[in-house]
């Protein structure tokens, strides 16, 4: 399919950090996507969660299924707007690679533990995974992805961190935009998690349809579905509503963005990057509806006492693991002890802490629970 002139393409790519010969039968971004899929961090997404702890039930989203849903929505948007589908798929599949076990509770706990050592931020960690932590190739550490994939993965960044990051950090200092592909995946992520948290929230019975009817975005689709299918109930009702919510957001996004792109008429990708404002966006009305849904989810789902109880445990586990490894590195597997010693030699206590954070962040939910038991439980003497 023909790409728009402002889409990312192999010919205008800013390339890879370590130069490699061009792939024979794939595009550069297909190669990036394939590298993500074969990475260890990608496989571990299967056992990491966002809201619900992994062993709570097989029906909830994990970070892996979330990433695949983001990729699906991204690919639809790419085709409609003639953007680079392979690049958008790459960014979508990679965007959560740096997440700790136990979702945001895990990230906050690790960030606090790393307070004196430069902090921890999952989005920055996603970039660290693809730039440094995956060890798969003889010629370089990391996956050596193209600039455009790395630019898309780094969604946000503090000025302090931007200064150390080099090329991908520049736009945060200059207050410029990333590619349209990166902008679109970012919003596809939002569409995916808002709608699947509604679905998982209902499934878990932490929230109810009656409560959700207070939210306009939900209510509109609820009225539409029940009008077309009187008597519909249960999972069919929920799924019909959720798919309509996704669809209405995608349609709003592509129509609003197409109009903005036409008005701005960027000649190429560089023109997109030079802008003060993003060209990919929801309409104002949809932004408002989205905010309302987010507020609802925050109050009724993310702060639900059962979710809070899980988060408290998760915080305790992550913090305890970090402390245990910091205080006694011999608790780490030998391979990680070697990595830690190298980092400590190069950067002192900061390097040591970063090595521990990398190790803990890489854990899946169940591995973290298991490791906590192995270290702290009196009944686990193996
Ligand atoms: Mg996400």
């Amino acid at each position: 399919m023909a790409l728009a002139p402002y889409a990312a393409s192999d010919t205008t790519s800013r390339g890879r950090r370590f130069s490699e010969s061009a792939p024979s039968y794939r595009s550069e971004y297909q190669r990036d996507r394939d590298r993500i899929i074969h990475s260890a961090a990608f496989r571990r997404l299967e056992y990491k969660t966002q809201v619900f702890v992994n062993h709570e039930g097989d029906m909830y989203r994990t970070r892996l299924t979330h990433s695949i849903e983001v990729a699906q929505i991204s690919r639809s948007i790419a085709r409609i707007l003639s953007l680079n589908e392979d690049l958008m798929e790459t960014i979508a599949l990679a965007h959560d690679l740096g997440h700790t076990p136990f979702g945001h509770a895990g990230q906050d706990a690790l960030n606090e533990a790393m307070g004196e050592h430069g902090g921890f931020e999952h989005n920055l960690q996603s970039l660290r995974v693809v730039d440094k932590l995956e060890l798969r190739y003889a010629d370089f550490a990391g996956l050596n992805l193209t600039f455009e994939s790395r630019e898309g993965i780094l969604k946000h960044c503090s000025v302090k961190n931007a200064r150390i990051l080099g090329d991908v950090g520049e736009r945060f200092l200059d207050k410029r935009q990333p590619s349209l592909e990166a902008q679109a995946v970012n919003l596809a992520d939002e569409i995916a998690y808002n709608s699947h948290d509604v679905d998982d929230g209902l499934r878990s019975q932490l929230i109810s349809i009656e409560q959700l009817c207070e939210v306009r975005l939900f209510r509109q689709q609820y009225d539409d579905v029940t009008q077309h299918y009187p008597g519909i109930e249960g999972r069919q009702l929920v799924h019909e509503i959720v798919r309509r919510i996704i669809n209405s957001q995608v349609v709003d996004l592509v129509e609003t963005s197409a109009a903005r792109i036409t008005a701005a008429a960027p000649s190429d990708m560089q023109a997109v990057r030079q802008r003060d404002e993003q060209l990919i966006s929801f309409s104002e009305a949809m932004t408002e509806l989205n905010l309302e849904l987010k507020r609802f989810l925050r109050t009724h789902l993310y702060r639900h006492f059962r979710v809070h109880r899980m988060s408290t445990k998760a915080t305790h586990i992550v913090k305890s693991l970090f402390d245990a490894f910091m205080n006694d590195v011999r608790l780490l597997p030998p391979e990680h002890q070697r990595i830690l010693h190298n980092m400590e030699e190069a950067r002192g206590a900061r390097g040591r802490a970063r090595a521990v954070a990398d190790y803990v962040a890489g854990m899946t939910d169940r591995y973290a629970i298991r490791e906590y038991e192995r270290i702290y439980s009196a009944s686990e003497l193996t």
Side-chain angles (χ1 to χ4, degrees), residues 197-230:
D197 285 352
V198 166
D199 188 18
D200 284 350
L202 285 169
R203 192 187 303 276
S204 65
Q205 297 181 337
L206 295 179
I207 51 177
S208 68
I209 289 184
E210 292 66 40
Q211 278 178 307
L212 270 160
C213 279
E214 293 164 21
V215 178
R216 279 174 295 167
L217 194 60
F218 187 93
R219 181 66 198 229
Q220 285 166 2
Q221 305 304 338
Y222 174 87
D223 288 345
D224 191 44
V225 173
T226 48
Q227 205 180 355
H228 279 88
Y229 304 98

mmCIF file of all heavy atoms in Angstrom, residues 197-230:
data_model
loop_
_atom_site.group_PDB
_atom_site.id
_atom_site.type_symbol
_atom_site.label_atom_id
_atom_site.label_comp_id
_atom_site.label_asym_id
_atom_site.label_seq_id
_atom_site.Cartn_x
_atom_site.Cartn_y
_atom_site.Cartn_z
ATOM 1 N N ASP A 197 -10.063 -2.190 30.253
ATOM 2 C CA ASP A 197 -10.253 -2.100 31.704
ATOM 3 C C ASP A 197 -11.744 -2.077 32.059
ATOM 4 O O ASP A 197 -12.145 -2.580 33.115
ATOM 5 C CB ASP A 197 -9.524 -0.892 32.293
ATOM 6 C CG ASP A 197 -8.008 -1.149 32.367
ATOM 7 O OD1 ASP A 197 -7.592 -2.293 32.104
ATOM 8 O OD2 ASP A 197 -7.261 -0.209 32.689
ATOM 9 N N VAL A 198 -12.561 -1.526 31.165
ATOM 10 C CA VAL A 198 -14.012 -1.606 31.352
ATOM 11 C C VAL A 198 -14.431 -3.077 31.319
ATOM 12 O O VAL A 198 -15.130 -3.581 32.203
ATOM 13 C CB VAL A 198 -14.762 -0.827 30.238
ATOM 14 C CG1 VAL A 198 -16.243 -1.186 30.216
ATOM 15 C CG2 VAL A 198 -14.584 0.678 30.433
ATOM 16 N N ASP A 199 -13.953 -3.794 30.305
ATOM 17 C CA ASP A 199 -14.292 -5.204 30.129
ATOM 18 C C ASP A 199 -13.812 -6.052 31.318
ATOM 19 O O ASP A 199 -14.595 -6.780 31.936
ATOM 20 C CB ASP A 199 -13.630 -5.681 28.816
ATOM 21 C CG ASP A 199 -14.065 -7.075 28.415
ATOM 22 O OD1 ASP A 199 -15.091 -7.552 28.925
ATOM 23 O OD2 ASP A 199 -13.372 -7.693 27.586
ATOM 24 N N ASP A 200 -12.527 -5.927 31.658
ATOM 25 C CA ASP A 200 -11.984 -6.708 32.787
ATOM 26 C C ASP A 200 -12.601 -6.282 34.114
ATOM 27 O O ASP A 200 -12.815 -7.108 35.001
ATOM 28 C CB ASP A 200 -10.456 -6.555 32.863
ATOM 29 C CG ASP A 200 -9.731 -7.382 31.794
ATOM 30 O OD1 ASP A 200 -10.389 -8.210 31.130
ATOM 31 O OD2 ASP A 200 -8.516 -7.199 31.626
ATOM 32 N N GLY A 201 -12.875 -5.004 34.252
ATOM 33 C CA GLY A 201 -13.484 -4.495 35.479
ATOM 34 C C GLY A 201 -14.859 -5.104 35.695
ATOM 35 O O GLY A 201 -15.224 -5.498 36.806
ATOM 36 N N LEU A 202 -15.625 -5.211 34.602
ATOM 37 C CA LEU A 202 -16.960 -5.824 34.698
ATOM 38 C C LEU A 202 -16.836 -7.315 34.984
ATOM 39 O O LEU A 202 -17.552 -7.868 35.816
ATOM 40 C CB LEU A 202 -17.735 -5.595 33.393
ATOM 41 C CG LEU A 202 -18.267 -4.180 33.179
ATOM 42 C CD1 LEU A 202 -18.764 -3.993 31.753
ATOM 43 C CD2 LEU A 202 -19.389 -3.862 34.181
ATOM 44 N N ARG A 203 -15.901 -7.952 34.306
ATOM 45 C CA ARG A 203 -15.708 -9.398 34.495
ATOM 46 C C ARG A 203 -15.362 -9.719 35.959
ATOM 47 O O ARG A 203 -15.813 -10.696 36.529
ATOM 48 C CB ARG A 203 -14.586 -9.879 33.587
ATOM 49 C CG ARG A 203 -14.473 -11.392 33.463
ATOM 50 C CD ARG A 203 -13.231 -11.762 32.685
ATOM 51 N NE ARG A 203 -13.193 -11.148 31.365
ATOM 52 C CZ ARG A 203 -13.792 -11.656 30.293
ATOM 53 N NH1 ARG A 203 -14.455 -12.782 30.382
ATOM 54 N NH2 ARG A 203 -13.706 -11.038 29.134
ATOM 55 N N SER A 204 -14.553 -8.856 36.553
ATOM 56 C CA SER A 204 -14.121 -9.084 37.932
ATOM 57 C C SER A 204 -15.189 -8.687 38.942
ATOM 58 O O SER A 204 -15.029 -8.908 40.135
ATOM 59 C CB SER A 204 -12.874 -8.250 38.208
ATOM 60 O OG SER A 204 -13.216 -6.872 38.139
ATOM 61 N N GLN A 205 -16.252 -8.055 38.440
ATOM 62 C CA GLN A 205 -17.340 -7.556 39.277
ATOM 63 C C GLN A 205 -16.905 -6.478 40.265
ATOM 64 O O GLN A 205 -17.555 -6.247 41.273
ATOM 65 C CB GLN A 205 -18.039 -8.707 40.011
ATOM 66 C CG GLN A 205 -18.686 -9.652 39.014
ATOM 67 C CD GLN A 205 -19.412 -10.815 39.678
ATOM 68 O OE1 GLN A 205 -19.114 -11.177 40.808
ATOM 69 N NE2 GLN A 205 -20.350 -11.393 38.968
ATOM 70 N N LEU A 206 -15.781 -5.844 39.975
ATOM 71 C CA LEU A 206 -15.367 -4.729 40.819
ATOM 72 C C LEU A 206 -16.187 -3.485 40.447
ATOM 73 O O LEU A 206 -16.368 -2.587 41.252
ATOM 74 C CB LEU A 206 -13.874 -4.429 40.640
ATOM 75 C CG LEU A 206 -12.898 -5.525 41.087
ATOM 76 C CD1 LEU A 206 -11.465 -5.108 40.825
ATOM 77 C CD2 LEU A 206 -13.074 -5.846 42.572
ATOM 78 N N ILE A 207 -16.642 -3.444 39.189
ATOM 79 C CA ILE A 207 -17.543 -2.372 38.753
ATOM 80 C C ILE A 207 -18.759 -3.008 38.072
ATOM 81 O O ILE A 207 -18.686 -4.170 37.651
ATOM 82 C CB ILE A 207 -16.847 -1.370 37.794
ATOM 83 C CG1 ILE A 207 -16.142 -2.113 36.638
ATOM 84 C CG2 ILE A 207 -15.847 -0.505 38.537
ATOM 85 C CD1 ILE A 207 -15.504 -1.195 35.607
ATOM 86 N N SER A 208 -19.833 -2.240 37.984
ATOM 87 C CA SER A 208 -21.057 -2.809 37.403
ATOM 88 C C SER A 208 -21.535 -1.978 36.215
ATOM 89 O O SER A 208 -21.136 -0.816 36.044
ATOM 90 C CB SER A 208 -22.162 -2.828 38.464
ATOM 91 O OG SER A 208 -22.530 -1.482 38.768
ATOM 92 N N ILE A 209 -22.398 -2.597 35.408
ATOM 93 C CA ILE A 209 -22.980 -1.897 34.261
ATOM 94 C C ILE A 209 -23.757 -0.667 34.737
ATOM 95 O O ILE A 209 -23.669 0.407 34.137
ATOM 96 C CB ILE A 209 -23.881 -2.855 33.454
ATOM 97 C CG1 ILE A 209 -23.003 -3.875 32.727
ATOM 98 C CG2 ILE A 209 -24.765 -2.085 32.474
ATOM 99 C CD1 ILE A 209 -23.736 -4.835 31.818
ATOM 100 N N GLU A 210 -24.484 -0.816 35.846
ATOM 101 C CA GLU A 210 -25.275 0.310 36.378
ATOM 102 C C GLU A 210 -24.367 1.496 36.674
ATOM 103 O O GLU A 210 -24.676 2.631 36.329
ATOM 104 C CB GLU A 210 -26.013 -0.088 37.665
ATOM 105 C CG GLU A 210 -27.135 -1.103 37.497
ATOM 106 C CD GLU A 210 -26.668 -2.491 37.055
ATOM 107 O OE1 GLU A 210 -25.619 -2.945 37.563
ATOM 108 O OE2 GLU A 210 -27.324 -3.097 36.178
ATOM 109 N N GLN A 211 -23.234 1.210 37.323
ATOM 110 C CA GLN A 211 -22.286 2.291 37.638
ATOM 111 C C GLN A 211 -21.753 2.929 36.358
ATOM 112 O O GLN A 211 -21.671 4.144 36.230
ATOM 113 C CB GLN A 211 -21.079 1.732 38.401
ATOM 114 C CG GLN A 211 -21.272 1.528 39.875
ATOM 115 C CD GLN A 211 -19.993 0.936 40.450
ATOM 116 O OE1 GLN A 211 -19.495 -0.074 39.968
ATOM 117 N NE2 GLN A 211 -19.473 1.569 41.482
ATOM 118 N N LEU A 212 -21.396 2.055 35.399
ATOM 119 C CA LEU A 212 -20.788 2.567 34.166
ATOM 120 C C LEU A 212 -21.760 3.421 33.347
ATOM 121 O O LEU A 212 -21.325 4.238 32.536
ATOM 122 C CB LEU A 212 -20.268 1.410 33.314
ATOM 123 C CG LEU A 212 -18.817 1.011 33.606
ATOM 124 C CD1 LEU A 212 -18.530 -0.394 33.103
ATOM 125 C CD2 LEU A 212 -17.827 2.004 32.986
ATOM 126 N N CYS A 213 -23.061 3.208 33.565
ATOM 127 C CA CYS A 213 -24.034 4.002 32.819
ATOM 128 C C CYS A 213 -23.980 5.485 33.196
ATOM 129 O O CYS A 213 -24.561 6.331 32.522
ATOM 130 C CB CYS A 213 -25.439 3.420 32.967
ATOM 131 S SG CYS A 213 -25.700 2.037 31.833
ATOM 132 N N GLU A 214 -23.241 5.804 34.277
ATOM 133 C CA GLU A 214 -22.998 7.228 34.609
ATOM 134 C C GLU A 214 -22.004 7.860 33.637
ATOM 135 O O GLU A 214 -21.887 9.076 33.562
ATOM 136 C CB GLU A 214 -22.328 7.354 35.987
ATOM 137 C CG GLU A 214 -23.143 6.948 37.168
ATOM 138 C CD GLU A 214 -22.229 6.758 38.392
ATOM 139 O OE1 GLU A 214 -21.103 7.310 38.413
ATOM 140 O OE2 GLU A 214 -22.654 6.042 39.305
ATOM 141 N N VAL A 215 -21.256 7.005 32.930
ATOM 142 C CA VAL A 215 -20.209 7.513 32.040
ATOM 143 C C VAL A 215 -20.785 7.636 30.633
ATOM 144 O O VAL A 215 -21.263 6.660 30.069
ATOM 145 C CB VAL A 215 -19.007 6.534 32.039
ATOM 146 C CG1 VAL A 215 -17.918 7.005 31.095
ATOM 147 C CG2 VAL A 215 -18.467 6.348 33.455
ATOM 148 N N ARG A 216 -20.716 8.845 30.065
ATOM 149 C CA ARG A 216 -21.397 9.088 28.779
ATOM 150 C C ARG A 216 -20.953 8.165 27.646
ATOM 151 O O ARG A 216 -21.765 7.665 26.887
ATOM 152 C CB ARG A 216 -21.219 10.546 28.351
ATOM 153 C CG ARG A 216 -22.202 11.488 29.044
ATOM 154 C CD ARG A 216 -21.902 12.923 28.700
ATOM 155 N NE ARG A 216 -20.583 13.297 29.231
ATOM 156 C CZ ARG A 216 -19.928 14.388 28.891
ATOM 157 N NH1 ARG A 216 -20.433 15.218 27.980
ATOM 158 N NH2 ARG A 216 -18.749 14.682 29.422
ATOM 159 N N LEU A 217 -19.631 7.956 27.539
ATOM 160 C CA LEU A 217 -19.113 7.121 26.450
ATOM 161 C C LEU A 217 -19.714 5.712 26.507
ATOM 162 O O LEU A 217 -20.051 5.111 25.485
ATOM 163 C CB LEU A 217 -17.579 7.040 26.580
ATOM 164 C CG LEU A 217 -16.785 6.506 25.404
ATOM 165 C CD1 LEU A 217 -16.999 7.340 24.154
ATOM 166 C CD2 LEU A 217 -15.281 6.484 25.739
ATOM 167 N N PHE A 218 -19.858 5.201 27.707
ATOM 168 C CA PHE A 218 -20.444 3.873 27.908
ATOM 169 C C PHE A 218 -21.947 3.921 27.672
ATOM 170 O O PHE A 218 -22.519 3.089 26.979
ATOM 171 C CB PHE A 218 -20.130 3.380 29.330
ATOM 172 C CG PHE A 218 -20.551 1.957 29.584
ATOM 173 C CD1 PHE A 218 -19.665 0.899 29.393
ATOM 174 C CD2 PHE A 218 -21.844 1.661 30.022
ATOM 175 C CE1 PHE A 218 -20.043 -0.423 29.628
ATOM 176 C CE2 PHE A 218 -22.240 0.347 30.255
ATOM 177 C CZ PHE A 218 -21.333 -0.704 30.059
ATOM 178 N N ARG A 219 -22.571 4.937 28.241
ATOM 179 C CA ARG A 219 -24.030 5.058 28.180
ATOM 180 C C ARG A 219 -24.541 5.140 26.729
ATOM 181 O O ARG A 219 -25.515 4.489 26.360
ATOM 182 C CB ARG A 219 -24.466 6.303 28.969
ATOM 183 C CG ARG A 219 -25.958 6.534 29.006
ATOM 184 C CD ARG A 219 -26.600 5.421 29.783
ATOM 185 N NE ARG A 219 -28.016 5.302 29.556
ATOM 186 C CZ ARG A 219 -28.914 5.211 30.546
ATOM 187 N NH1 ARG A 219 -28.522 5.224 31.796
ATOM 188 N NH2 ARG A 219 -30.183 5.063 30.275
ATOM 189 N N GLN A 220 -23.836 5.924 25.917
ATOM 190 C CA GLN A 220 -24.239 6.074 24.505
ATOM 191 C C GLN A 220 -24.289 4.712 23.823
ATOM 192 O O GLN A 220 -25.248 4.377 23.128
ATOM 193 C CB GLN A 220 -23.221 6.945 23.748
ATOM 194 C CG GLN A 220 -23.316 8.415 24.052
ATOM 195 C CD GLN A 220 -22.079 9.181 23.542
ATOM 196 O OE1 GLN A 220 -21.185 8.607 22.927
ATOM 197 N NE2 GLN A 220 -22.043 10.481 23.805
ATOM 198 N N GLN A 221 -23.242 3.926 24.025
ATOM 199 C CA GLN A 221 -23.167 2.618 23.358
ATOM 200 C C GLN A 221 -24.141 1.631 23.998
ATOM 201 O O GLN A 221 -24.720 0.790 23.316
ATOM 202 C CB GLN A 221 -21.732 2.064 23.390
ATOM 203 C CG GLN A 221 -20.679 3.008 22.818
ATOM 204 C CD GLN A 221 -20.970 3.452 21.393
ATOM 205 O OE1 GLN A 221 -21.702 2.797 20.658
ATOM 206 N NE2 GLN A 221 -20.416 4.588 20.994
ATOM 207 N N TYR A 222 -24.335 1.763 25.298
ATOM 208 C CA TYR A 222 -25.300 0.898 26.006
ATOM 209 C C TYR A 222 -26.702 1.111 25.416
ATOM 210 O O TYR A 222 -27.415 0.163 25.095
ATOM 211 C CB TYR A 222 -25.282 1.218 27.504
ATOM 212 C CG TYR A 222 -26.332 0.487 28.302
ATOM 213 C CD1 TYR A 222 -26.081 -0.783 28.821
ATOM 214 C CD2 TYR A 222 -27.588 1.068 28.543
ATOM 215 C CE1 TYR A 222 -27.047 -1.470 29.549
ATOM 216 C CE2 TYR A 222 -28.566 0.394 29.264
ATOM 217 C CZ TYR A 222 -28.283 -0.868 29.764
ATOM 218 O OH TYR A 222 -29.250 -1.535 30.485
ATOM 219 N N ASP A 223 -27.081 2.374 25.269
ATOM 220 C CA ASP A 223 -28.411 2.692 24.715
ATOM 221 C C ASP A 223 -28.548 2.148 23.297
ATOM 222 O O ASP A 223 -29.571 1.587 22.926
ATOM 223 C CB ASP A 223 -28.639 4.215 24.707
ATOM 224 C CG ASP A 223 -28.860 4.747 26.122
ATOM 225 O OD1 ASP A 223 -29.124 3.923 27.026
ATOM 226 O OD2 ASP A 223 -28.749 5.981 26.325
ATOM 227 N N ASP A 224 -27.479 2.318 22.510
ATOM 228 C CA ASP A 224 -27.491 1.866 21.122
ATOM 229 C C ASP A 224 -27.670 0.339 21.041
ATOM 230 O O ASP A 224 -28.505 -0.162 20.292
ATOM 231 C CB ASP A 224 -26.153 2.286 20.476
ATOM 232 C CG ASP A 224 -26.177 2.089 18.982
ATOM 233 O OD1 ASP A 224 -27.196 2.452 18.356
ATOM 234 O OD2 ASP A 224 -25.192 1.563 18.434
ATOM 235 N N VAL A 225 -26.898 -0.372 21.851
ATOM 236 C CA VAL A 225 -26.944 -1.840 21.815
ATOM 237 C C VAL A 225 -28.296 -2.358 22.305
ATOM 238 O O VAL A 225 -28.926 -3.207 21.654
ATOM 239 C CB VAL A 225 -25.808 -2.456 22.676
ATOM 240 C CG1 VAL A 225 -25.964 -3.975 22.785
ATOM 241 C CG2 VAL A 225 -24.450 -2.122 22.089
ATOM 242 N N THR A 226 -28.782 -1.823 23.427
ATOM 243 C CA THR A 226 -30.035 -2.353 23.979
ATOM 244 C C THR A 226 -31.245 -1.982 23.107
ATOM 245 O O THR A 226 -32.241 -2.692 23.087
ATOM 246 C CB THR A 226 -30.272 -1.880 25.436
ATOM 247 O OG1 THR A 226 -30.066 -0.461 25.491
ATOM 248 C CG2 THR A 226 -29.320 -2.552 26.399
ATOM 249 N N GLN A 227 -31.087 -0.894 22.346
ATOM 250 C CA GLN A 227 -32.154 -0.521 21.418
ATOM 251 C C GLN A 227 -32.196 -1.505 20.240
ATOM 252 O O GLN A 227 -33.260 -1.938 19.822
ATOM 253 C CB GLN A 227 -31.865 0.885 20.905
ATOM 254 C CG GLN A 227 -33.094 1.615 20.446
ATOM 255 C CD GLN A 227 -32.712 3.022 19.955
ATOM 256 O OE1 GLN A 227 -31.561 3.456 20.051
ATOM 257 N NE2 GLN A 227 -33.670 3.725 19.432
ATOM 258 N N HIS A 228 -31.027 -1.847 19.717
ATOM 259 C CA HIS A 228 -30.954 -2.787 18.591
ATOM 260 C C HIS A 228 -31.249 -4.212 19.003
ATOM 261 O O HIS A 228 -31.751 -5.004 18.219
ATOM 262 C CB HIS A 228 -29.565 -2.741 17.943
ATOM 263 C CG HIS A 228 -29.391 -1.609 16.997
ATOM 264 N ND1 HIS A 228 -28.967 -0.361 17.395
ATOM 265 C CD2 HIS A 228 -29.622 -1.523 15.659
ATOM 266 C CE1 HIS A 228 -28.921 0.440 16.356
ATOM 267 N NE2 HIS A 228 -29.319 -0.239 15.294
ATOM 268 N N TYR A 229 -30.830 -4.567 20.210
ATOM 269 C CA TYR A 229 -30.997 -5.950 20.670
ATOM 270 C C TYR A 229 -31.705 -5.968 22.027
ATOM 271 O O TYR A 229 -31.061 -6.184 23.052
ATOM 272 C CB TYR A 229 -29.632 -6.651 20.809
ATOM 273 C CG TYR A 229 -28.806 -6.652 19.553
ATOM 274 C CD1 TYR A 229 -27.799 -5.696 19.361
ATOM 275 C CD2 TYR A 229 -29.004 -7.610 18.563
ATOM 276 C CE1 TYR A 229 -27.035 -5.684 18.210
ATOM 277 C CE2 TYR A 229 -28.235 -7.608 17.407
ATOM 278 C CZ TYR A 229 -27.248 -6.644 17.235
ATOM 279 O OH TYR A 229 -26.490 -6.634 16.103
ATOM 280 N N PRO A 230 -33.020 -5.733 22.035
ATOM 281 C CA PRO A 230 -33.713 -5.722 23.328
ATOM 282 C C PRO A 230 -33.549 -7.103 23.984
ATOM 283 O O PRO A 230 -33.614 -8.111 23.293
ATOM 284 C CB PRO A 230 -35.177 -5.460 22.958
ATOM 285 C CG PRO A 230 -35.206 -5.122 21.514
ATOM 286 C CD PRO A 230 -33.929 -5.563 20.898
#
